Amino acid sequence: MSAAFSLSRISTNVRFSASTLLFPELAGAWAERMFLTPPRARDAAASALDLIDARNTFVEHKRRLISTWRWGSRDAPAVLLAHGWGGSAAQMRGFVFPLLQAGYRVIAYDQPAHGVSEGKLTGLPDFADVLGEVAAYYGNVHGVIAHSLGGAGAALALAWGKAQYRRIVLVSPPSDLVGYSRRFARWYWMPEPVRRAMQKAIEERYGVLWEEIEVPRVAPRLNAQALVIHDRDDRLMPWTHGAKVARHWPNARLLSTDGLGHRRILADETVTRSAADFIAGRATAADSPAPLY
């Protein structure tokens, strides 16, 4: 961590702690905005240039333009690539070529308030809604490959009937929103009452309780075939999260990797090939139902 970043975070934590004591309602509102504000990469436009060989189109969601990219024939079945929190469509580039080789049309997109898509605040229900909007716009969706929170959004879109697909690959998926919010609260020196107020405010904003949208909660009633890929050295989203998702998703398979962490896993050739093989119905390294240890 750089000194400048460390000092900035300490300053934010001190101001947040002070507002918690003096203005508790303000602290709750501030916490909600912080939790729903993804980090916006400074080079978002430059990252989009990595997708210059694709056809760029915008899809509207809640009056925000969502940037999408398409590779492959219009008539081929589609596979959607959904990135996670703080990511971008360019991160999913490694899956494109293996999927094209397998005969699929490939659709990537920037989540709301990410990359070059519009918006400032967003959350998991938005991720589910946007996947549904993109799926409806392009049509004939066969499968989804999703990273981190994008995987939770894809599962939720299926559970809510916003999208239909046969196969899904969840790379480093989360299994516990409340647990993540508690880590977020500790990072910003946020007392538990304020964290609970933040959770309540977000639940009211979207009209859904967090416990109702946890992947292990919705997974048992999903009929898409699932492959979970998770690295044992993932420090941002520990391997136990993926193992739990795979355990609750009916007949899911779990492919565990080592030494790739949370983001480099997206560029690993074994991972991208395994994901494409699973989408295409071919055998993968994870050839047994989860959990594998």
Side-chain angles (χ1 to χ4, degrees):
M1 181 187 300
S2 69
F5 179 81
S6 180
L7 289 173
S8 174
R9 184 173 75 84
I10 290 173
S11 175
T12 298
N13 291 1
V14 169
R15 285 183 283 126
F16 187 85
S17 297
S19 66
T20 298
L21 295 173
L22 300 175
F23 309 103
E25 293 184 2
L26 175 62
W30 188 14
E32 179 192 10
R33 290 191 66 83
M34 288 172 62
F35 193 81
L36 296 178
T37 302
R40 180 82 79 160
R42 294 181 182 180
D43 60 347
S47 294
L49 290 176
D50 291 339
L51 311 175
I52 198 169
D53 58 328
R55 182 178 180 85
N56 183 222
T57 306
F58 289 92
V59 174
E60 187 173 347
H61 171 256
K62 293 183 178 179
R63 300 182 180 180
R64 300 182 290 192
L65 293 179
I66 304 301
S67 190
T68 73
W69 292 266
R70 174 179 65 82
W71 295 262
S73 169
R74 289 179 178 272
D75 299 328
V79 176
L80 305 186
L81 303 180
H83 69 79
W85 188 258
S88 69
Q91 285 183 315
M92 308 296 288
R93 178 66 198 241
F95 298 97
V96 174
F97 185 65
L99 289 169
L100 290 175
Q101 280 190 314
Y104 292 102
R105 177 170 40 121
V106 184
I107 314 297
Y109 60 95
D110 281 339
Q111 302 281 9
H114 288 74
V116 294
S117 290
E118 294 181 341
K120 293 184 178 179
L121 303 180
T122 193
L124 177 55
D126 286 334
F127 278 32
D129 288 345
V130 166
L131 188 141
E133 296 280 359
V134 173
Y137 180 85
Y138 283 100
N140 192 18
V141 175
H142 171 76
V144 175
I145 298 176
H147 180 232
S148 196
L149 195 69
L156 198 57
L158 185 62
W160 284 351
K162 295 181 178 293
Q164 295 295 324
Y165 50 84
R166 298 176 182 175
R167 289 176 173 262
I168 181 171
V169 178
L170 303 107
V171 184
S172 313
S175 67
D176 183 6
L177 284 176
V178 173
Y180 171 77
S181 72
R182 288 191 172 122
R183 293 196 300 274
F184 175 87
R186 288 194 297 270
W187 180 258
Y188 287 108
W189 303 352
M190 186 188 302
E192 177 60 15
V194 175
R195 190 211 63 79
R196 287 197 300 267
M198 175 193 76
Q199 177 179 336
K200 182 179 179 182
I202 295 172
E203 289 174 336
E204 291 176 350
R205 174 187 289 266
Y206 288 107
V208 61
L209 298 176
W210 277 6
E211 65 185 32
E212 296 175 358
I213 57 177
E214 300 278 17
V215 178
R217 178 75 175 267
V218 303
R221 62 178 186 267
L222 302 182
N223 56 11
Q225 296 182 57
L227 169 65
V228 178
I229 305 177
H230 215 120
D231 194 80
R232 291 186 178 91
D233 299 318
D234 190 331
R235 298 180 64 184
L236 292 179
M237 193 65 62
W239 177 87
T240 52
H241 282 253
K244 184 175 182 180
V245 170
R247 193 162 57 245
H248 285 82
W249 197 300
N251 300 313
R253 300 178 185 278
L254 174 63
L255 173 60
S256 299
T257 61
D258 294 285
L260 297 175
H262 190 68
R263 295 188 180 92
R264 285 186 295 117
I265 193 171
L266 297 174
D268 182 78
E269 186 174 351
T270 299
V271 169
T272 57
R273 288 287 178 185
S274 295
D277 285 345
F278 179 81
I279 291 293
R282 297 192 292 258
T284 69
D287 203 26
S288 301
L292 298 178
Y293 295 100

